[in-house]
Structures are given as C-alpha cells and as structure tokens.
Amino acid sequence: MPRKALRDLVRTLLQRRLAGAARVDGFAVRLDWPGYGPVLVCHDLTQFTRSLERARRQAVKAERYWSRGPLPPLAVTVVPIDHATFSTHPRECPSTACPTTAALLGTDAAGRNLTRSP
C-alpha cells in the first residue's frame, strides 16, 4: 500500500474516532482558583461523567475535600461539556471561553436567556 494511501486511511479513521468522541455529551466538575500575575482567576475541569446527578455528587465531594486546605477554590460547579473538549482541556486554564454553568441555568455565557427569542 502506498504511503499516501496509508496516511489518508489513518487520518480518516482518526477523524471518525474524534467525531464520535465529540458527540459524547456529559458533565465535569469545574474548580475555579485564584489566579496569579495578570490572571485573576483560572480553572480546572475534573471528573467527567455522563450523569448530571453523579457530577453533582462529585462536585459536593470535591468542595468538601478542597475546603479543608489552605487555599480553597473560589467556586466548585458542574459544567456541561463533551468528552473531546474535556480530554484536551489544559490545567490551570485562564480562558473565559471555557464551559460554565450558564447552559445548565438556561443562559449563555453572557447571561442572556436561551429559552426565549431576543
């Protein structure tokens, strides 16, 4: 098999796998931490699960665990996220474009209501 054909086959299989992973919706626990330097707040996403109830229980456990330390998180929330985004999300991320609880509250990241038309 020529190299180009093999490379195209591998690329196609990887794209199918990633496309399948992107459709897996679920939830993760988001931990917001005080930032450092010019970054005021950063966050981590942990404990991906497909169940909202399980994610809520994990968030309660995470909050209990981290509240005993010298630097507790600013917030512990459950966020909707797909598995592909979760698996590639960096640690201590300062981005404001990352998943928030807004979708679970029926609003977008800016606080606009998603259930009614503008």
Side-chain angles (χ1 to χ4, degrees):
M1 177 177 269
R3 253 190 180 177
K4 183 179 181 324
L6 181 60
R7 185 176 56 230
D8 291 343
L9 176 64
V10 170
R11 184 176 294 139
T12 301
L13 291 174
L14 287 174
Q15 286 173 345
R16 282 186 187 169
R17 183 174 176 213
L18 290 175
R23 287 192 303 267
V24 178
D25 291 327
F27 304 92
V29 175
R30 177 178 164 141
L31 301 164
D32 288 287
W33 302 99
Y36 44 87
V39 177
L40 298 178
V41 177
C42 60
H43 62 271
D44 291 325
L45 298 177
T46 65
Q47 304 177 30
F48 178 84
T49 181
R50 291 185 186 182
S51 165
L52 179 57
E53 286 305 313
R54 185 178 299 136
R56 287 180 178 159
R57 287 193 305 268
Q58 291 171 336
V60 169
K61 290 177 184 177
E63 189 167 23
R64 242 185 264 142
Y65 175 81
W66 288 106
S67 67
R68 293 181 266 158
L71 185 62
L74 299 172
V76 178
T77 55
V78 173
V79 297
I81 191 169
D82 61 73
H83 190 266
T85 303
F86 174 80
S87 62
T88 60
H89 190 271
R91 295 201 34 100
E92 296 182 8
C93 178
S95 175
T96 57
C98 291
T100 66
T101 58
L104 295 177
L105 300 174
T107 62
D108 63 7
R112 293 182 296 260
N113 192 334
L114 294 175
T115 57
R116 65 176 175 196
S117 312

